Amino acid sequence: MKSLKQLLAALAIVAALVWGDAPAAAERPNVLFIAVDDLRPELGAYSEDHMVTPHMDRLASEGRAFERHYVQAPSCGPSRYALLTGMHPTPAHPVSYANTAFRLYEESVGPLSLQQHFRDHGYHTTLIGKISHTPDGRRGGQDVRENREANEPEAPGWDVMDTPTGQWNDAWSAFFAYAFGETRTPGESPPVEAADVQDRGYPDAYLADAAIEHLVRRYASDEPFFLAVGFYKPHLPFNAPKKYWDLYDRDAIDISDVDPYVRTGGEFFGNYGHEASDTEDPAYVRELRHGYYASTSYVDAQIGRVLEAVDNLGMNENTIIVLWSDHGYHLGELGYWGKHTLHEHSLRVPFIIRAPDMPQPGAFTRALTATVDIYPTLAELCGLPLPDHLEGVSMAPLVEDPSAETVDRVYGGWSQGAQHTVRTDRWRLIENNGEARLYDHDTDPGEREDVAEERPEVVERLLEKLAAMPGQP
Ligand SMILES: [Ca+2]
């Protein structure tokens, strides 16, 4: 059966060569897209040796890891909007850098989505977990849990949407899961939990189960697939089975880069049972970081199970695997706990592409890339045309050659105070209602010192860049 399939595929390739057609659907590579929520590039593969992340590390060692990949916005909704539309979520589009970005599709004026584009070219498309803003890709925020439009996708184009909810019964409860089927009580539940349970004591194991089940189903099909799996951890609460906490020695956790508390992160301090002043206690800071690390190792183990299934099914040779996070996180750096800033900590994420037979596997690229680039990249790698609305640039040349040239064109924004940012090879500029802050990455990778006054010519040049960014009115 398989050999007949291969023969037919080979004949199709010969036919395409003879008649010059684009590759037909049957021999296009599959895509396994893995999203991880709120994951900083704090992984072993990114030279963070204190982390226990063997499966993501292995993916990086076999693929192309991007050292400087940036999201468009430091929040789930707008960042994932950039992923699935290939556009900057600027107010001019007209969406905003807020979690409401996907409402464009409710008004039926959204652009051709990434998954719909793949579907239109013969791919079978599946969503599991959090790929758009909500934890199952269906419309309805956590505040309207009772009245969700249960059958409507936030962004169209999925053949199958299948998010298991395990012991938690609905997706939002699973997203904020505590062990034994419990869920978050806003403002009261603790921000961490280390229940002595197996992997299925928390929801991400169920998401991995579903991904493996769908890989098996796709194995029996001739259609290429686009399978998107969106894991929940290490998003708050930092809950994971105890065995993943046991991978770390809390006393050895480095907190030297934690600054005295200066601002409230509303999601962090408002939604959980603690006070901002608690983060002045080094023991508490270590516990919080410990929880984030345990959650990261737990999700790494679930990713490992999915990667093993791809391997066991013999799909490696015709499957492109992508790993991405929707934004980073401040674990106390610059006095902030949370993600809603335009600093490097919030906007820089791990990003890995592993393509069959790619040259120089394991070599990092330092090119500046952004989430709007993912749509054109996957389209190019799979031989699909590039829709006109795309604002990003394909990263396919960097898959071929990690030292390929790129240009300074990484923009971001955030709805609070209408802030915008541009990141170039050396600088980050953050503009907020006419006030500009400037950080020099040659000397200050932690963005601790604003040098806007010392370098007015750089500020002027970068403000011009910002004014010209895509999606400006
Ligand atoms: Ca997120």
Side-chain angles (χ1 to χ4, degrees), residues 36-38 75-76 80 130 235 326-327 339:
V36 189
D37 207 356
D38 292 23
S75 187
C76 306
R80 291 159 186 265
K130 185 169 172 178
H235 190 289
D326 61 349
H327 48 77
K339 58 213 183 190

Side-chain angles (χ1 to χ4, degrees), residues 85-416:
T85 65
M87 298 175 82
H88 293 77
T90 61
H93 267 348
V95 297
S96 71
Y97 285 108
N99 276 337
T100 50
F102 282 107
R103 291 214 179 133
L104 219 55
Y105 286 109
E106 292 181 38
E107 294 151 20
S108 301
V109 291
L112 178 68
S113 72
L114 175 64
Q115 64 273 20
Q116 184 67 54
H117 189 46
F118 272 77
R119 194 183 191 186
D120 289 347
H121 288 84
Y123 277 76
H124 183 276
T125 61
T126 300
L127 171 148
I128 296 167
K130 185 169 172 178
I131 296 297
S132 45
H133 170 233
T134 63
D136 59 358
R138 299 185 189 280
R139 289 179 192 165
Q142 65 221 57
D143 50 339
V144 289
R145 202 174 292 177
E146 303 301 317
N147 297 309
R148 301 189 63 205
E149 299 171 79
N151 293 314
E152 290 296 324
E154 282 185 296
W158 303 109
D159 286 308
V160 174
M161 300 174 77
D162 182 15
T163 299
T165 55
Q167 312 146 42
W168 296 273
N169 298 323
D170 74 86
W172 278 110
S173 296
F175 184 65
F176 294 115
Y178 289 76
F180 312 113
E182 297 293 320
T183 193
R184 183 183 77 179
T185 303
E188 291 178 21
S189 301
V192 296
E193 184 181 75
D196 195 358
V197 293
Q198 297 300 309
D199 285 9
R200 285 180 189 80
Y202 293 104
D204 282 307
Y206 290 91
L207 298 175
D209 290 344
I212 294 164
E213 186 191 322
H214 281 277
L215 284 169
V216 171
R217 280 196 219 169
R218 298 330 306 163
Y219 179 77
S221 166
D222 281 338
E223 290 169 297
F225 64 77
F226 182 97
L227 170 59
V229 187
F231 289 102
Y232 299 159
K233 290 299 114 180
H235 190 289
L236 279 167
F238 303 152
N239 297 350
K242 178 177 176 297
K243 68 174 172 177
Y244 296 98
W245 289 73
D246 292 344
L247 295 172
Y248 299 91
D249 172 6
R250 185 175 301 178
D251 293 336
I253 290 175
D254 181 12
I255 60 167
S256 61
D257 55 350
V258 174
D259 297 294
Y261 161 77
V262 291
R263 282 173 291 172
T264 297
E267 180 188 27
F268 192 85
F269 292 114
N271 287 343
Y272 296 88
H274 55 178
E275 302 290 333
S277 57
D278 293 346
T279 56
E280 289 164 16
D281 175 4
Y284 193 61
V285 168
R286 283 207 168 83
E287 183 182 2
L288 293 169
R289 283 201 168 184
H290 194 177
Y292 186 89
Y293 295 170
S295 299
T296 300
S297 291
Y298 168 60
V299 81
D300 180 74
Q302 308 319 310
I303 291 167
R305 293 176 53 220
V306 177
L307 297 179
E308 188 184 13
V310 173
D311 204 1
N312 289 341
L313 291 165
M315 290 172 159
N316 277 331
E317 61 210 50
N318 65 340
T319 302
I320 294 168
I321 300 178
V322 181
L323 182 117
W324 170 82
S325 172
D326 61 349
H327 48 77
Y329 210 85
H330 290 250
L331 290 171
E333 296 95 343
L334 305 178
Y336 189 76
W337 292 84
K339 58 213 183 190
H340 296 149
T341 80
L342 290 181
H343 283 290
E344 194 83 354
H345 314 75
S346 289
L347 296 177
R348 181 173 163 251
V349 295
F351 182 67
I352 302 167
I353 300 178
R354 193 186 79 184
D357 301 321
M358 61 187 288
Q360 300 183 60
F364 270 67
T365 177
R366 274 187 57 74
L368 290 168
T369 61
T371 291
V372 287
D373 301 339
I374 294 175
Y375 191 145
T377 303
L378 291 178
E380 184 177 345
L381 290 175
C382 295
L384 276 50
L386 302 187
D388 289 341
H389 74 268
L390 299 182
E391 294 175 342
V393 175
S394 172
M395 297 177 274
L398 295 162
V399 174
E400 284 297 309
D401 175 6
S403 62
E405 291 272 324
T406 59
V407 289
D408 288 345
R409 35 157 295 280
V410 174
Y411 305 101
W414 174 232
S415 50
Q416 278 171 353

